[in-house]
Amino acid sequence: MLTIGKLHLKNWLIMAPMSGKTNLPFRIIVKKMGAALVITEMISAVGLSRGQSKTYSYLDSHPDERPVAAQLFGSEPDTIATSAGIATEKAMDIIDINMGCPVKKVVKTGSGAALMRDPKKVGRILSAVRKNTSLPLTVKIRAGWSPEEANALEIARIIEDSGADGISIHPRFASQGFSGKADWSLISRIKAALKIPIFGSGDITEPYLALKMRSETNCDGVMIGRAALANPWIFKQILDMEKKGSFDIPDLNERYHLIMEHYFLLIKYVGENRATNTMKGLLLLYTKRLPNRKFLKGIISEIDGREKLISVINKYFGYIREEIVSEG
Ligand SMILES: Cc1cc2nc3c(=O)[nH]c(=O)nc-3n(C[C@H](O)[C@H](O)[C@H](O)COP(=O)(O)O)c2cc1C
């Protein structure tokens, strides 16, 4: 079990925040698969503090996904503190501050990973947020801005001293983007130096790697990001691996039902058009390890609505079921 501030989680697995991906329907899905904590996409503190309705909608939640953390990004202490107050009123369970995003649009406003270049501001932001919420407070960081500014340990100490309850670390430099390998040894160093819980993020592509990260770094929790997009079952697989040393691969029926469940959740929360477009992309991810994706790839651009998408999904699964039966 993992405890963050006053919040007790059912296990040590966290769905990494991913903008454009970890929306409410996906969070509900991974929660069912065993993730102990989910995090919203990053939400603009400026947008929330100005009362923008689209930004507010990122705080929409559902009891099935709780506990859920709201991830906020911004550059000014007062604005971030105000937005943390809003997220608290909207019944989020944790406030998480993004200090790791390397995307140009974000860092040019002094937000995300740019904050790691301004340690004093990091302290000011967290002190201001701490005063405005009694929720557990966490921060997500990178290894630093660049190899020349590798200051994750310094920043982590400031975060702890400012009263935060946990730190997630994706140990790549902002300048690296997603290239190279995540340097798990940095997770170990930060864990050894600090008292608050540390969560490792980066390159958990297979279930055994989550157990490996935890035992190698001694981190308290492990975040899974990209791998969960194609394989939301990964949380259950990691927990099974921990308990019994092995895990099951989902069969065709499970995959089919998950795709349908995800599609209908998307329709409910984002409307039919956006749901259909999103599911067209997800379908290729969810069927990544299945045969005959040529059929899907060939037909996907012709899908223009719910009826067509469902008929393509049914046809594809019907076809590969028959293929597997006749081969078996
Ligand atoms: C498409 C995408 C969007 C992301 N968006 C966010 C975000 O909004 N906030 C954040 O802290 N990290 C974000 N990340 C980083 C992930 O949370 C995670 O740290 C990173 O992907 C490494 O983990 P992985 O190898 O398990 O994917 C994003 C990553 C990807 C691939």
Side-chain angles (χ1 to χ4, degrees):
M1 197 171 68
L2 172 60
T3 300
I4 307 177
K6 59 190 176 189
L7 188 71
H8 303 295
L9 301 180
K10 64 180 179 182
N11 64 52
W12 49 285
L13 300 178
I14 302 169
M15 177 70 226
M18 286 192 285
S19 65
K21 312 285 180 197
T22 49
N23 49 24
L24 178 52
F26 187 66
R27 299 197 306 263
I28 292 175
I29 296 278
V30 293
K31 205 49 178 282
K32 267 180 84 168
M33 295 296 166
L37 178 67
V38 293
I39 306 172
T40 64
E41 306 174 62
M42 59 178 183
I43 305 173
S44 160
V46 170
L48 283 183
S49 63
R50 289 185 185 157
Q52 287 167 358
S53 60
K54 178 152 193 310
T55 314
Y56 259 73
S57 71
Y58 287 109
L59 288 173
D60 288 346
S61 185
H62 188 280
D64 287 355
E65 65 162 340
R66 293 186 69 186
V68 54
Q71 190 187 65
L72 307 171
F73 75 96
S75 66
E76 294 312 315
D78 288 350
T79 319
I80 302 179
T82 302
S83 68
I86 294 168
T88 306
E89 279 165 22
K90 287 274 279 177
M92 293 283 123
D93 297 294
I94 293 184
I95 301 296
D96 183 57
I97 310 293
N98 182 318
M99 296 194 184
C101 179
V103 172
K104 229 185 199 160
K105 200 170 79 181
V106 171
V107 295
K108 79 170 189 222
T109 65
S111 312
L115 288 170
M116 293 191 74
R117 308 183 89 180
D118 194 345
K120 285 202 179 104
K121 203 172 197 185
V122 168
R124 289 207 310 274
I125 289 172
L126 295 174
S127 306
V129 172
R130 192 65 295 178
K131 282 190 202 129
N132 244 13
T133 182
S134 58
L135 290 179
L137 171 61
T138 57
V139 181
K140 186 154 179 283
I141 61 172
R142 283 219 171 202
W145 181 257
S146 64
E148 294 73 40
E149 296 175 70
N151 63 348
L153 188 54
E154 179 200 349
I155 295 287
R157 286 205 168 101
I158 293 170
I159 293 170
E160 181 170 82
D161 291 345
S162 309
D165 301 293
I167 299 175
S168 317
I169 159 93
H170 174 203
R172 283 184 173 92
F173 297 103
S175 60
Q176 271 180 286
F178 285 87
S179 65
K181 263 182 82 175
D183 174 14
W184 289 4
S185 73
L186 179 59
I187 304 172
S188 317
R189 278 178 274 140
I190 292 180
K191 172 63 195 168
L194 267 65
K195 293 188 198 71
I196 56 176
I198 302 299
F199 320 119
S201 170
D203 301 349
I204 306 297
T205 50
E206 298 291 337
Y208 82 93
L209 289 171
L211 299 163
K212 186 166 187 263
M213 179 190 270
R214 191 173 63 163
S215 63
E216 265 181 22
T217 69
N218 200 25
C219 66
D220 301 274
V222 169
M223 281 187 161
I224 295 100
R226 289 165 292 178
L229 297 176
N231 179 21
W233 293 271
I234 193 165
F235 298 96
K236 188 175 176 312
Q237 292 170 341
I238 295 166
L239 296 172
D240 283 350
M241 186 94 178
E242 182 184 23
K243 228 185 297 162
K244 38 181 206 180
S246 66
F247 61 86
D248 296 327
I249 303 283
D251 64 19
L252 283 186
N253 275 341
E254 277 180 81
R255 285 182 197 272
Y256 174 83
H257 287 297
L258 184 91
I259 288 168
M260 287 303 186
E261 184 182 357
H262 197 163
Y263 184 39
F264 285 108
L265 279 171
L266 280 164
I267 291 176
K268 181 169 167 194
Y269 288 107
V270 303
E272 196 168 316
N273 282 347
R274 267 181 64 201
T276 303
N277 282 333
T278 306
M279 190 37 82
K280 280 162 68 172
L282 286 174
L283 195 53
L284 293 176
L285 278 174
Y286 280 164
T287 53
K288 216 168 172 181
R289 295 179 186 176
L290 298 183
N292 235 310
R293 284 166 79 245
K294 247 193 341 214
F295 164 77
L296 282 181
K297 283 185 178 164
I299 205 163
I300 213 125
S301 63
E302 291 169 29
I303 297 173
D304 55 4
R306 182 201 303 225
E307 303 306 315
K308 179 83 180 170
L309 179 57
I310 292 175
S311 113
V312 165
I313 295 171
N314 285 337
K315 204 162 162 189
Y316 173 70
F317 275 89
Y319 182 62
I320 56 173
R321 252 184 221 118
E322 265 177 35
E323 204 176 54
I324 287 168
V325 169
S326 63
E327 275 175 6

